[in-house]
Amino acid sequence: MSRIRRVPHCSHWGAYTILVEDGQIVGVEPFEHDPAPSPIINSIREWANPARRVLRPMVRSGWLDKREKSDRRGRGREKFVPVGWDEATTLVADEIRRVSDAFGNASIFAGSYGWTNSGRFHHASSLLKRMLNLVGGFTGHVDTYSIAAGPVILRHTLGDDTACGGRANTLDTIARHTDTLVVFGAISPRTAQNEAGGIGSHMVETHLKRIVERGTRIILVSPLEDDIPEWVNAEWWPIRPNTDTALMLGLAGEIVKADRHDKAFLERCTSGADRLLRYLDGTQDGEGKDAAWAAGITGLDQQRIVELAKRLVETRSMLTVSWSLQRAHHGEQPFWAALGLASIIGQIGLPGGGVGYGYGSLGGVGSTINIGRSPAMSQFAKPIDSFIPVARISDMLLNPGGPFTYQGSTRFYPDTRLVYWAGGNPYHHHQDLNRLAEAWTRPETIIVQDPMFTATAQRADIVLPATTSIERNDLAGNKRSDFILAMQKAIEPLGESRADFDIFNAIAEKLGAADRFNEGRDEMGWLRHLYETSRDDAATRLGFEMPDFDTFWKAGYARCPVKAEHTYLAEFRDQPETSPLKTERGKIVLGSETLAKLNYSDCGPHPAWIEPAEWLGRSDPDQLHLISHQPAGRLHSQLETGAASRAMKRNGRERARVNPSDATAFGINDGQTIRIWNDRGACLATAQVTDTVRQGVIVLPTGAWFTTAGDSGIEIAGNPNVLTLDVGTSQFGQGCSAHTCLVRIEPYATDPGDAIEKYQEKLAALAAV
């Protein structure tokens, strides 16, 4: 009689125990110390389904015949040819060597994104960069699609970006001290269920309940009513998308107009405040920024803005700003404007007061702060200085040698000949996918290393099958998690797939770098080393005792040293002269000398309202504003066919949420297939009519696997990035502008078939063996 094995594991959406019987997953149980486990844990058995897996090394037939001289437009059309691992790793090593010798290592783009696996050892992106740094380097990227414009402006105005990385006021402090909480964007379990590198305890809902119990007045500023749990009973202010900056500045202007701004705080703790004050009172441009001005832009009630401005200075007030607000054209401005408003109020550095960024955007933001050393693989020193802002991939491929700006410097795009993508799917997360498709024809060779046959893998020249985390051993942990968690192997690898470390080690061997790459350690040797390094740091630096590796591995987890009740910038507020910030004058920057000299039209010397390229304030009557947010049933495009994800779909397509008034105006019924389009592309979705969405707004989650049907080119799975605008947030930050998008909608009568089935048909045609 077989016995059920209990295997501790962790993913980005949390820790859990996998129940395995006769090599098959028969159940999943949540982590015993998690008060709010994610439902996504029940989808992980989909990783054991071979239908969408890469099961053996494969090479596009045209590339196998002609190598770098092949027809690059054959990507995604020509069939793949299976090859053995020795041939595959030889082809990869030879390509790295060829491009390095002929064009230099800057022509190798290691564009990998790190979300494919929460493990800190088999972290594909880190291991790829580790290997390439041993053989001359690569062109990489800075910042992330999730958050780029925000960290850039905060590094300039606060000296670092910790306020948006989980080091602002902790939520337990807010729950004890805050009287008025203004939520710009969201604090939602939908996004808080995930955390980069895994999470042990989902605490956002626990903290929210304590905030509610305190009687805190909570105001949600969002086009979506469900961007905070219904039981919070927040006041919903259904703002026009991408106008939060105007509301923040209007509130600040009202406070200044009433002469209630904290002049002492502005004098002691900020620099350049006079620039902002002249903008707010209208001295600069003749237009005062007050409640009436903000109401005209945001669509909100003027009197409510006046009353909130008064309350913000009369009570202990906290502003929270979601990461999503900076994923928009001029995305630097809402982060900077919130900092300006908080400075005008003058409560920065007080318990429960001030401003913080990203609460609920990831599960660990606002929770207790891990003050220990998180486990991580070294990528080694970078031999060359070559990078692009993360979302400028198409620009790089389409404009080799062209200039770009970033943080005040002008740089130049490399001549990219080789793209090596390990663990990621740009055909999910990049904007304007039809433009990306053209850019994707430019490199001579594209290598994709991934467990899944994603749309990106379909468009590769060489595909290397990696295992998922449940087919190998690893550990999870990060600076926003209070645990290090064991990720033990549950099942054997599918097909011929191999662990990422083993793949890179084999390639490194053929490049003559294996000894330096592996440092003489195998998988378990590395896991022991990474854990013990964190354990030793906790003991020697903090006096915190963690169990030894063997005890940890048996238990499946170990607690980390943490700090609770944290108030951001408390020391700076008390003594700004002796605790200066790393900014141009050691203070919070409200008026920037640097940006004044740069004279950018899209990121000036103080926070300002700048109209985005596309918004409802300049739309046609038949246009809606598209919001493409994180889905509830999966992380990005991972486990798209899992049970939690499928439950959100209809006919294999995403559901698009539409306000009843808009549905009536466009002749759309609930459950009907609709076409969503603009000049950049078109996709299909299933309409969901609901009054939780502001009129004039349509919501389509991210992550549907890019699936086209027939010659029309229409995307049938509901991938919103065929519609989004591929422009940088500004010349300064160059982040992605994923939420600045106007669209049109209409009923769609033709039956396109089930999108998931259509994807499988395409995959079978390309990769049949």
Side-chain angles (χ1 to χ4, degrees):
M1 185 175 179
S2 61
R3 184 172 62 90
I4 293 179
R5 288 191 301 120
R6 302 175 59 83
V7 182
H9 208 76
C10 184
S11 300
H12 295 296
W13 41 89
Y16 47 89
T17 297
I18 305 173
L19 307 183
V20 181
E21 185 175 21
D22 295 330
Q24 304 293 317
I25 298 173
V26 296
V28 180
E29 295 177 350
F31 183 46
E32 60 184 304
H33 298 292
D34 190 348
S38 166
I40 302 177
I41 65 173
N42 296 302
S43 294
I44 61 104
R45 67 184 73 201
E46 188 67 12
W47 280 332
N49 182 354
R52 288 194 175 187
R53 290 288 299 271
V54 184
L55 297 175
R56 55 192 56 80
M58 289 188 164
V59 183
R60 179 170 64 88
S61 58
W63 192 92
L64 195 59
D65 291 339
K66 297 182 179 179
R67 300 295 197 272
E68 71 273 13
K69 294 183 174 62
S70 70
D71 179 5
R72 300 165 200 170
R73 295 187 183 275
R75 293 174 183 143
R77 296 183 175 89
E78 295 175 354
K79 288 189 174 184
F80 286 96
V81 177
V83 298
W85 268 109
D86 184 64
E87 182 178 359
T89 52
T90 297
L91 289 172
V92 171
D94 287 349
E95 272 303 285
I96 293 171
R97 192 178 293 112
R98 178 188 71 83
V99 173
S100 176
D101 291 346
F103 305 102
N105 281 63
S107 291
I108 301 172
F109 181 59
S112 305
Y113 216 50
W115 281 100
T116 189
N117 173 34
S118 62
R120 301 297 87 187
F121 171 53
H122 290 294
H123 189 255
S125 176
S126 296
L127 294 176
L128 170 63
K129 293 165 186 175
R130 177 184 175 91
M131 179 188 74
L132 289 175
N133 278 331
L134 291 172
V135 293
F138 58 92
T139 292
H141 66 253
V142 291
D143 302 318
T144 72
Y145 278 85
S146 297
I147 187 160
V152 168
I153 199 65
L154 294 187
R155 289 195 288 266
H156 181 64
T157 57
L158 286 169
D160 60 41
D161 56 16
T162 57
C164 65
R167 301 281 171 133
N169 294 346
T170 47
L171 286 166
D172 52 9
T173 303
I174 294 171
R176 285 192 61 186
H177 299 281
T178 301
D179 300 312
T180 304
L181 177 63
V182 184
V183 178
F184 290 95
I187 300 181
S188 172
R190 173 178 49 79
T191 48
Q193 65 184 320
N194 300 306
E195 175 58 68
I199 185 169
S201 301
H202 292 89
M203 295 298 296
V204 167
E205 288 180 270
T206 299
H207 292 304
L208 273 178
K209 288 173 183 176
R210 290 171 180 164
I211 292 170
V212 171
E213 289 168 0
R214 187 179 189 277
T216 301
R217 181 179 174 186
I218 303 171
I219 297 167
L220 172 68
V221 181
S222 170
L224 312 180
E225 188 178 19
D226 60 356
D227 267 341
I228 203 165
E230 184 179 6
W231 50 261
V232 171
N233 292 319
E235 299 172 34
W236 179 32
W237 289 25
I239 194 170
R240 279 177 174 166
N242 294 353
T243 65
D244 300 78
T245 297
L247 176 58
M248 296 168 185
L249 295 171
L251 288 165
E254 277 293 324
I255 295 169
V256 171
K257 187 167 69 172
D259 196 30
R260 303 194 70 182
H261 51 300
D262 192 327
K263 301 179 187 68
F265 181 85
L266 294 176
E267 176 66 26
R268 291 179 62 247
C269 297
T270 74
S271 67
D274 55 324
R275 288 182 185 270
L276 176 59
L277 292 173
R278 288 197 301 271
Y279 174 71
L280 294 175
D281 67 17
T283 302
Q284 175 180 306
D285 58 7
E287 184 175 32
K289 314 306 180 294
D290 57 12
W293 171 84
I297 295 170
T298 63
L300 298 173
D301 181 75
Q302 177 181 339
Q303 188 57 37
R304 295 179 82 183
I305 299 173
V306 171
E307 292 171 356
L308 178 58
K310 182 180 179 181
R311 181 177 175 87
L312 288 175
V313 296
E314 292 178 345
T315 65
R316 183 59 54 87
S317 301
M318 179 71 189
L319 314 175
T320 72
V321 186
S322 294
W323 287 1
S324 60
L325 268 62
Q326 53 83 64
R327 290 195 297 270
H329 201 204
H330 310 135
E332 296 81 8
Q333 299 308 314
F335 269 42
W336 199 2
L339 180 60
L341 173 57
S343 298
I344 294 287
I345 297 167
Q347 298 181 16
I348 293 173
L350 297 178
V355 63
Y357 307 87
Y359 297 96
S361 296
L362 285 178
V365 177
S367 295
T368 53
I369 298 170
N370 183 341
I371 56 176
R373 176 173 175 172
S374 299
M377 288 293 287
S378 170
Q379 299 177 17
F380 298 130
K382 298 178 180 178
I384 60 173
D385 177 27
S386 184
F387 69 84
I388 65 167
V390 65
R392 304 274 53 84
I393 295 168
S394 293
D395 288 354
M396 174 189 71
L397 297 178
L398 293 170
N399 303 291
F404 67 91
T405 57
Y406 177 72
Q407 294 192 149
S409 298
T410 299
R411 303 176 68 96
F412 297 89
Y413 290 118
D415 179 11
T416 305
R417 303 297 178 119
L418 169 63
V419 172
Y420 195 144
W421 213 286
N425 184 12
Y427 273 84
H428 145 63
H429 62 241
H430 193 67
Q431 285 64 62
D432 194 349
L433 292 180
N434 289 316
R435 183 170 185 255
L436 176 65
E438 178 60 32
W440 210 246
T441 67
R442 303 305 173 88
E444 293 173 342
T445 301
I446 295 175
I447 302 164
V448 171
Q449 180 173 316
D450 201 281
M452 313 305 294
F453 232 126
T454 63
T456 304
Q458 286 187 16
R459 290 158 178 81
D461 299 311
I462 302 172
V463 184
L464 303 178
T467 52
T468 66
S469 65
I470 63 175
E471 299 154 72
R472 60 200 187 195
N473 293 301
D474 212 326
L475 50 80
N478 66 82
K479 61 185 178 181
R480 291 187 292 262
S481 176
D482 48 358
F483 292 92
I484 294 179
L485 296 142
M487 300 172 60
Q488 295 181 15
K489 179 179 176 180
I491 62 173
E492 292 301 313
L494 268 65
E496 298 173 23
S497 60
R498 293 184 179 180
D500 285 291
F501 180 82
D502 296 335
I503 296 172
F504 287 121
N505 193 51
I507 298 168
E509 184 173 11
K510 293 182 177 179
L511 292 169
D515 289 346
R516 290 175 293 163
F517 179 81
N518 61 46
E519 297 185 32
R521 299 186 184 97
D522 60 8
E523 179 182 73
M524 292 308 297
W526 269 111
L527 297 186
R528 185 180 294 274
H529 171 73
L530 293 172
Y531 176 83
E532 291 293 351
T533 300
S534 295
R535 177 178 176 241
D536 291 346
D537 172 77
T540 57
R541 185 168 59 87
L542 302 169
F544 183 88
E545 292 299 322
M546 297 173 64
D548 62 27
F549 177 79
D550 292 324
T551 303
F552 152 73
W553 195 250
K554 183 177 180 180
Y557 68 91
R559 293 187 181 273
C560 300
V562 297
K563 178 184 179 183
E565 294 277 338
H566 172 67
T567 297
Y568 179 60
L569 293 185
E571 291 182 10
F572 168 73
R573 181 189 179 92
D574 290 342
Q575 297 181 319
E577 297 82 11
T578 57
S579 303
L581 307 179
K582 296 178 182 178
T583 58
E584 53 192 28
R585 291 192 176 272
K587 299 181 178 183
I588 297 169
V589 177
L590 299 185
S592 167
E593 300 167 13
T594 300
L595 284 166
K597 292 175 184 177
L598 290 169
N599 197 30
Y600 291 146
S601 61
D602 54 4
C603 191
H606 57 76
W609 160 248
I610 310 171
E611 287 195 23
E614 298 181 11
W615 71 297
L616 290 175
R618 291 193 185 276
S619 62
D620 294 334
D622 63 341
Q623 287 182 306
L624 301 177
H625 192 116
L626 173 71
I627 291 177
S628 51
H629 67 183
Q630 171 66 30
R634 61 178 178 273
L635 170 62
H636 303 152
S637 63
Q638 292 190 50
L639 294 172
E640 198 243 8
T641 54
S645 176
R646 281 180 181 262
M648 303 292 168
K649 297 174 180 284
R650 296 296 180 270
N651 299 316
R653 269 180 290 286
E654 295 301 316
R655 288 192 288 179
R657 294 161 59 199
V658 185
N659 182 275
S661 296
D662 294 321
T664 299
F666 295 108
I668 290 169
N669 298 316
D670 189 79
Q672 187 173 18
T673 300
I674 60 173
R675 175 176 175 254
I676 311 172
W677 87 98
N678 56 26
D679 291 341
R680 290 177 289 275
C683 70
L684 302 182
T686 301
Q688 180 183 5
V689 181
T690 172
D691 58 8
T692 61
V693 176
R694 184 195 192 277
Q695 188 174 353
V697 170
I698 181 171
V699 184
L700 183 62
T702 65
W705 281 30
F706 182 70
T707 308
T708 56
D711 298 328
S712 67
I714 192 169
E715 202 283 330
I716 66 170
N719 187 319
N721 273 327
V722 301
L723 305 162
T724 47
L725 190 67
D726 188 14
V727 297
T729 51
S730 77
Q731 296 171 80
F732 191 63
Q734 294 286 7
C736 80
S737 300
H739 297 290
T740 300
C741 182
L742 292 177
V743 299
R744 291 177 167 87
I745 64 174
E746 66 182 1
Y748 191 78
T750 306
D751 180 11
D754 184 281
I756 292 175
E757 294 175 2
K758 292 294 182 183
Y759 190 95
Q760 289 303 129
E761 291 173 8
K762 174 72 179 297
L763 184 56
L766 287 176
V769 232

